Amino acid sequence: MTQTQPKVTFTKNYGFRKELNKRVDAYFESQNISTRDNAAMYMKTTVILSWVVATWTFTLFGPPEIWLKVIGCIALGFGIAGIGFSVGHDANHGGYSRHKMVNNIFGYTFDIIGLSSFLWKFRHNFLHHKYTNILGHDVEIHGDGLVRMTPYMEHKWYHSFQHVFIWFIYPIIPLYWSFADVYLVMFKRKYHTYDIPKLKPLDLLVFFSGKLMWLGLFLGIPIAVGYSPIQAVVGFVITYMTYGLMICIIFMMAHVLEAAEFIEPNSDLQQVNDEWAIFQIKTTVDFAPKNQFLNWYLGGLNYQVVHHLFPNICHIHYPQLAKILADVCEDFGVKYNVCETFTEALASNYRWLKLMGSAPNLE
């Protein structure tokens, strides 16, 4: 994997990760359960994919009343978000199945809903998961300079209003990503200073066929069955704005809150003076662990700390792994940040964005 930026290293080793892995392995062995290929996950996948197919079909071929079609588009947007949270997310992390082919098949759901699975694996699995909340490395906290999430980013005048205008940015992010993917693959070929790995012929086939299928499903077929181009575009926008609002809020509540740390490596050696696993706990926050609906719908992303430590384990196990993680954190004196409710996390995110917009620095 090529990169033009010095590699960030983590200098400490307290034995935290080793002990955590030992206890997690013991849990799965004692319960005689698999970390992946779980029946509950296959059932969940069936429900979510059926949700998307049913709402897509209802919106296109159901009753002609406009208000029902709007509701159908919103419900479809929530279903697409469910694919992103649960199905494609686990699969592209290799956490869905032990079999690479199965992970690839379900991972391609990202391409069908407009997001390149190839680029996502590099941007998210590598840059975000390894260098969480480190400016210049974790692309997902850069916000293309429009939003200031970290105190290490240069403050611009418009950041003073970001806690207000960001609610208008969230809904358009998936559309921006989907078309920016093409620009990244064809022309830019890098995320900031990191070169994007070269796409092989099969990768290019998946990339472009995915874009065509996405546009065909959500624009081409509606127009083909009799909707006007304007009607198709409006339905498409409603659907994807719903999806965008959901996924952006959930990402923000995992890493961009008052409790999450934004760590700057030593400028000369590019070193973080911590153990990588503990660094992950410091930069990430769990939320709403007792909300059973969110536990199901968000694909375990409200257990984001657990996910960052065990991205290759199916998320249906996260509630149990969180208990193990909490015990290990207590034994090692590491603070495990958890917002008990969704609204608590949302309010914390709002306050942090407002702070980052109003204060050029935190000193």
Side-chain angles (χ1 to χ4, degrees):
M1 185 173 292
T2 58
Q3 62 185 57
T4 57
Q5 184 155 325
K7 179 181 179 181
V8 175
T9 57
F10 301 86
T11 63
K12 305 295 184 182
N13 185 356
Y14 302 106
F16 181 95
R17 182 63 185 268
K18 182 177 180 180
E19 179 62 24
L20 178 61
N21 287 351
K22 177 182 175 182
R23 297 190 195 184
V24 167
D25 290 343
Y27 164 73
F28 282 105
E29 185 176 348
S30 66
Q31 299 297 313
N32 194 28
I33 54 179
S34 174
T35 58
R36 296 172 288 181
D37 289 305
N38 304 113
M41 185 60 203
Y42 283 103
M43 178 58 69
K44 181 176 183 177
T45 300
T46 301
V47 171
I48 291 174
L49 294 182
S50 297
W51 174 353
V52 171
V53 172
T55 51
W56 181 85
T57 303
F58 174 83
T59 304
L60 281 184
F61 305 107
E65 287 80 6
I66 295 297
W67 66 274
L68 283 174
K69 295 194 178 297
V70 171
I71 291 175
C73 288
I74 293 172
L76 178 57
F78 277 106
I80 292 171
I83 290 176
F85 291 144
S86 295
V87 182
H89 189 252
D90 267 25
N92 282 309
H93 271 297
Y96 195 101
S97 172
R98 295 185 301 271
H99 307 289
K100 184 178 180 180
M101 181 178 293
V102 174
N103 285 321
N104 285 341
I105 289 171
F106 286 106
Y108 291 151
T109 57
F110 267 16
D111 296 274
I112 295 173
I113 63 174
L115 183 65
S116 167
S117 58
F118 182 93
L119 293 179
W120 188 88
K121 287 177 183 178
F122 180 66
R123 180 183 71 240
H124 183 85
N125 291 11
F126 177 59
L127 296 179
H128 171 63
H129 268 255
K130 187 170 185 178
Y131 305 122
T132 310
N133 280 13
I134 299 180
L135 187 65
H137 299 269
D138 181 359
V139 178
E140 297 191 5
I141 64 155
H142 187 268
D144 285 346
L146 183 62
V147 180
R148 186 173 186 252
M149 306 180 206
T150 165
Y152 299 108
M153 178 180 283
E154 182 183 359
H155 183 271
K156 302 288 187 179
W157 66 268
Y158 50 81
H159 291 144
S160 300
F161 308 99
Q162 66 180 17
H163 59 292
V164 176
F165 71 64
I166 197 166
W167 296 96
F168 300 93
I169 300 299
Y170 286 159
I172 64 174
I173 290 298
L175 294 173
Y176 169 75
W177 279 343
S178 297
F179 292 106
D181 283 350
V182 178
Y183 173 72
L184 284 165
V185 167
M186 297 297 294
F187 303 105
K188 190 176 182 181
R189 299 192 180 101
K190 63 171 52 184
Y191 285 111
H192 302 305
T193 57
Y194 284 90
D195 295 330
I196 294 172
K198 185 177 180 180
L199 282 75
K200 299 175 182 177
L202 178 60
D203 299 321
L204 287 169
L205 176 63
V206 170
F207 180 85
F208 286 110
S209 61
K211 296 297 183 188
L212 291 174
M213 289 180 66
W214 170 59
L215 293 173
L217 284 170
F218 297 103
L219 283 175
I221 292 178
I223 293 173
V225 299
Y227 292 89
S228 70
I230 293 177
Q231 289 173 327
V233 168
V234 169
F236 177 69
V237 169
I238 292 173
T239 298
Y240 269 78
M241 287 181 71
T242 303
Y243 163 46
L245 184 64
M246 286 301 304
I247 60 169
C248 290
I249 286 175
I250 297 307
F251 169 78
M252 283 288 197
M253 292 197 298
H255 300 289
V256 189
L257 295 92
E258 295 158 308
E261 295 187 26
F262 293 83
I263 295 173
E264 189 81 349
N266 176 291
S267 58
D268 295 325
L269 301 176
Q270 287 293 294
Q271 293 179 336
V272 174
N273 294 320
D274 215 337
E275 182 176 346
W276 179 83
I278 296 176
F279 158 82
Q280 288 296 323
I281 295 168
K282 290 180 177 179
T283 56
T284 311
V285 181
D286 284 0
F287 64 90
K290 297 179 182 179
N291 188 314
Q292 295 303 312
F293 173 73
L294 291 182
N295 287 345
W296 185 89
Y297 177 61
L298 298 183
L301 294 184
N302 56 324
Y303 286 98
Q304 189 77 200
V305 181
V306 181
H307 169 63
H308 268 248
L309 293 170
F310 299 101
N312 59 342
I313 292 180
C314 184
H315 70 261
I316 65 170
H317 301 296
Y318 288 175
Q320 292 302 317
L321 299 190
K323 298 175 184 177
I324 299 173
L325 175 59
D327 289 341
V328 177
C329 284
E330 184 176 359
D331 291 346
F332 279 77
V334 176
K335 186 179 180 182
Y336 179 10
N337 293 307
V338 181
C339 288
E340 293 300 324
T341 65
F342 179 89
T343 53
E344 179 185 339
L346 192 61
S348 180
N349 169 245
Y350 176 86
R351 290 191 297 266
W352 180 255
L353 288 175
K354 189 172 182 180
L355 177 63
M356 289 296 96
S358 62
N361 59 65
L362 297 180
E363 299 178 354

